[in-house]
């Protein structure tokens, strides 16, 4: 590892010698974990299915929220069978670290004011109160790092933005990755506050209070489009249209449970999730314009249309 202060270090050695391992991204929400998870994805590490710009694996994290270890073990076993190396991000995953095969940790730390200020703008809470909360969460994280014997890569979010080449090179070395094309893509991925991140679900400030219909596209994949949508006038399901390059492809009704949505705004309700699954043989291509609209209206979801990349 480099001796100059490029903003990263390791604890307990590196993980390059482990042919099989699970990379757990740890940090504080709004503290850079999505950036790290995205970099790992660009480096060729499987981070989950149907990922949004936050690179958050909803299938496994839903098990964590429900404390459903049985289902979590099933998912983990399936992934261990498919991938010698795979990863996931979540602050409190250390509680379940014994479920994972050969866990190694990538920890990102960010200035507590920047983290708290971002969270304050999202959740409309006191800045100082949130700074104390972030400080407490960081303390718990540091306690975990103090006692773990597993390999740890620890980095500064601010320094990663300033020195992306060094950050990616250090992370790749820690994990034993050396594909130059993937490393270059990972470096290019690192950008401060990309629009695809700031315009996703959590940015409720983007939703005007007087809107009768609101929603977001959370994830785009070649064969599906998913997210949430609802009416603030009632709690009934709403019908949605998927248009690709201006052509109507499919119409569905919201039916999936999204308990995270009402947690962010009390005016919203839970049964508002949707997933368009494209017909067999039909795949989205780079450059396609994806638009999800409320049926019977010309109104699109808040971050729609958007380009498939």
């Amino acid at each position: 590892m480099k001796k100059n202060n490029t903003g990263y270090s390791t604890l307990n050695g590196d993980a390059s010698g482990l042919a099989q391992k699970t990379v757990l991204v740890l940090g504080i929400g709004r503290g850079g974990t999505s950036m790290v998870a995205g970099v790992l994805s660009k480096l060729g590490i499987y981070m989950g299915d149907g990922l949004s710009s936050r690179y958050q694996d909803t299938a496994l994290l839903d098990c964590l929220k429900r404390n459903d270890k049985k289902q979590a073990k099933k998912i983990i076993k399936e992934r261990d069978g498919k991938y010698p190396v795979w990863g996931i991000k979540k602050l409190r995953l250390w509680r379940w670290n014994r479920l994972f095969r050969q866990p190694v940790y990538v920890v990102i730390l960010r200035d507590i004011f920047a983290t708290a200020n971002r969270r304050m703008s999202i959740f409309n809470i006191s800045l100082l109160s949130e700074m104390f909360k972030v400080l407490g969460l960081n303390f718990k994280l540091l306690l975990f790092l103090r006692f773990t014997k597993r390999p740890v890569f620890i980095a500064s979010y601010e320094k990663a933005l300033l020195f992306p080449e060094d950050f990616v090179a250090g992370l790749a070395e820690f994990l034993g990755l050396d594909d130059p094309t993937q490393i270059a893509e990972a470096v290019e991925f690192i950008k401060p506050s990309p629009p695809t991140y700031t315009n996703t679900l959590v940015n409720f400030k983007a939703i005007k209070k007087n809107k009768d219909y609101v929603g977001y596209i959370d994830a785009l994949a070649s064969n599906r489009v998913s997210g949430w949508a609802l009416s603030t006038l009632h709690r009934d399901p709403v019908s949605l249209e998927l248009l690709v390059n201006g052509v109507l492809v499919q119409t569905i009704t919201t039916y999936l449970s999204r308990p995270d949505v009402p947690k962010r705004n009390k005016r919203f309700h839970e049964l508002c999730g949707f997933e368009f699954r494209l017909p067999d043989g039909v795949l989205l291509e780079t450059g396609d314009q994806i638009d999800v609209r409320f049926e019977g209206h010309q109104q699109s979801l808040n971050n729609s249309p958007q380009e498939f990349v």
Side-chain angles (χ1 to χ4, degrees):
M1 292 294 178
K2 295 187 176 183
K3 299 299 183 182
N4 55 316
N5 182 18
T6 50
Y8 65 82
S9 188
T10 60
L11 306 172
N12 309 320
D14 66 33
S16 60
L18 298 174
Q20 295 182 328
K21 49 185 172 272
T22 312
V23 184
L24 306 184
V25 179
L26 303 181
I28 312 303
R30 316 284 83 77
T33 54
S34 296
M35 182 272 286
V36 174
V39 166
L40 290 170
S41 179
K42 299 300 181 183
L43 287 173
I45 294 178
Y46 172 81
M47 298 298 291
D49 290 325
L51 299 173
S52 70
S53 61
R54 300 181 185 283
Y55 288 86
Q56 189 153 294
D57 182 353
T58 55
L60 194 49
L61 295 183
D62 182 61
C63 296
L64 180 67
K65 291 177 183 177
R66 294 183 285 105
N67 199 33
D68 187 351
K69 285 191 176 182
K70 182 178 179 180
Q71 179 63 17
K73 288 178 180 179
K74 179 180 177 181
I75 294 173
I76 290 169
K77 184 178 180 180
E78 290 174 352
R79 294 185 182 178
D80 285 345
K82 288 183 179 180
Y83 310 99
V85 181
W86 61 279
I88 184 174
K89 71 155 195 172
K90 185 65 177 178
L91 167 63
R92 295 181 176 86
L93 272 177
W94 66 66
R95 295 179 179 177
W96 286 10
N97 62 335
R98 293 183 180 180
L99 299 183
F100 297 99
R101 177 188 61 192
Q102 296 281 30
V104 302
Y105 300 99
V106 177
V107 180
I108 191 76
L109 298 176
R110 186 181 186 185
D111 165 40
I112 64 167
F113 168 75
T115 304
N117 196 44
R118 170 73 176 143
R119 292 162 66 97
M120 179 194 70
S121 67
I122 295 166
F123 303 124
N124 191 28
I125 50 184
S126 163
L127 175 61
L128 286 178
S129 295
E130 196 61 17
M131 288 181 71
F132 276 112
K133 181 177 180 179
V134 170
L135 188 62
L137 291 172
N138 273 310
F139 180 73
K140 291 180 180 179
L141 176 56
L142 292 175
L143 278 180
F144 169 76
L145 297 179
R146 173 66 178 82
F147 293 105
T148 186
K149 303 300 182 183
R150 304 297 304 172
V152 176
F153 179 91
I154 185 169
S156 158
Y157 175 75
E158 286 80 10
K159 284 295 184 71
L161 293 181
L162 288 173
F163 306 108
E165 294 88 356
D166 292 310
F167 170 77
V168 173
L171 182 57
E173 181 182 350
F174 171 77
L175 295 171
L177 306 173
D178 57 8
D179 186 308
T181 300
Q182 292 177 337
I183 288 174
E185 290 178 356
V187 171
E188 179 63 24
F189 173 80
I190 299 176
K191 292 180 175 65
S193 301
T196 53
Y197 175 85
T198 55
N199 289 335
T200 50
L201 165 67
V202 76
N203 190 5
F204 283 96
K205 287 188 71 178
I207 301 176
K208 296 180 181 179
K209 292 182 179 180
N210 62 348
K211 275 198 172 181
D212 296 336
Y213 294 92
V214 294
Y216 266 83
I217 297 173
D218 286 341
L220 293 176
S222 60
N223 64 342
R224 62 182 179 273
V225 178
S226 60
W228 64 271
L230 55 84
S231 170
T232 58
L233 302 177
H234 57 76
R235 292 179 175 268
D236 297 330
V238 295
S239 295
L240 302 172
E241 299 175 336
L242 172 64
L243 292 87
V244 179
N245 299 322
V247 178
L248 178 62
V249 174
Q250 202 172 58
T251 301
I252 63 171
T253 300
T254 53
Y255 66 99
L256 298 174
S257 174
R258 287 293 302 267
D260 55 312
V261 173
K263 287 181 180 178
R264 298 295 191 267
N265 191 318
K266 294 180 180 179
R267 298 171 61 233
F268 300 161
H269 56 87
E270 180 176 332
L271 293 176
C272 60
F274 69 84
E275 182 176 70
F276 289 98
R277 287 190 172 272
L278 300 183
D280 291 343
V282 178
L283 297 175
L284 298 177
E285 298 180 354
T286 300
D288 282 345
Q289 294 296 314
I290 312 304
D291 190 8
V292 177
R293 300 179 183 176
F294 292 92
E295 187 181 27
H297 303 262
Q298 292 300 311
Q299 181 182 327
S300 299
L301 274 58
N302 291 74
N303 62 340
S304 178
Q306 58 179 271
E307 183 176 323
F308 182 70
V309 295

